[in-house]
Amino acid sequence: MKFTHFFSLPNEIFLLGLAHGELAVYCYLKYLEDRRTHQCWPSYQNIGKAVGMSENTVRKYVAKLEERGLIATAYTTMRAKDGRPMNGHLMYTIRPFHEIVNAYYRTQLEGLELQNQRMHAAVPSQKGVPAQ
């Protein structure tokens, strides 16, 4: 048996705190992704069938993945046979994972720096305090 279609995920995917539904939808989009363009066009209904969720739940998780920067979505248009414009499919673009991980680490570092600044601001200054 020869397998010709597969995808991989970096281990850091588990550092991002994704909910199980976000992870399932993201994995399905990665599975469908065109490796050259990093895009795919599944409907909410098809994603839901693949991962065992309702369309509304898929829509919720797609929005969360977009908020987190893992994917970008764009509405497409098509032309009917008579030339009229019609709504097309939602196009998903899978963002480069190294950008997501770098942004995650940057956010974590900024949070630690802010926490450090707050800690130092809370400690009273020792300047001008007579030695005992």
Side-chain angles (χ1 to χ4, degrees):
M1 180 189 282
K2 183 178 178 183
F3 294 100
T4 59
H5 190 79
F6 69 93
F7 69 97
S8 62
L9 292 173
N11 294 339
E12 288 89 354
I13 191 79
F14 298 106
L15 297 176
L16 303 179
L18 299 177
H20 70 281
E22 290 173 287
L23 187 58
V25 170
Y26 183 75
C27 286
Y28 187 67
L29 295 175
K30 285 290 289 180
Y31 167 73
L32 296 177
E33 170 189 40
D34 179 313
R35 303 300 186 264
R36 289 171 286 128
T37 64
H38 306 289
Q39 295 174 333
C40 57
W41 295 266
S43 67
Y44 290 136
Q45 182 179 19
N46 286 342
I47 296 169
K49 283 180 186 175
V51 298
M53 295 177 195
S54 71
E55 289 180 46
N56 284 338
T57 302
V58 169
R59 184 176 284 117
K60 175 181 82 171
Y61 287 129
V62 165
K64 288 186 178 219
L65 290 170
E66 198 165 20
E67 287 172 17
R68 290 176 177 268
L70 281 106
I71 64 172
T73 61
Y75 288 97
T76 61
T77 56
M78 312 169 35
R79 293 266 176 212
K81 290 182 181 181
D82 63 4
R84 290 179 295 120
M86 299 173 47
N87 289 336
H89 298 282
L90 188 60
M91 180 179 63
Y92 301 87
T93 302
I94 312 300
R95 303 229 7 253
F97 200 77
H98 69 276
E99 290 178 9
I100 295 148
V101 171
N102 288 343
Y104 172 80
Y105 286 136
R106 199 171 31 255
T107 301
Q108 294 297 311
L109 184 59
E110 288 169 0
L112 289 172
E113 288 172 351
L114 182 59
Q115 184 180 9
N116 190 30
Q117 289 172 0
R118 287 180 181 156
M119 189 174 73
H120 286 312
V123 175
S125 175
Q126 297 298 320
K127 293 180 183 177
V129 177
Q132 300 205 5

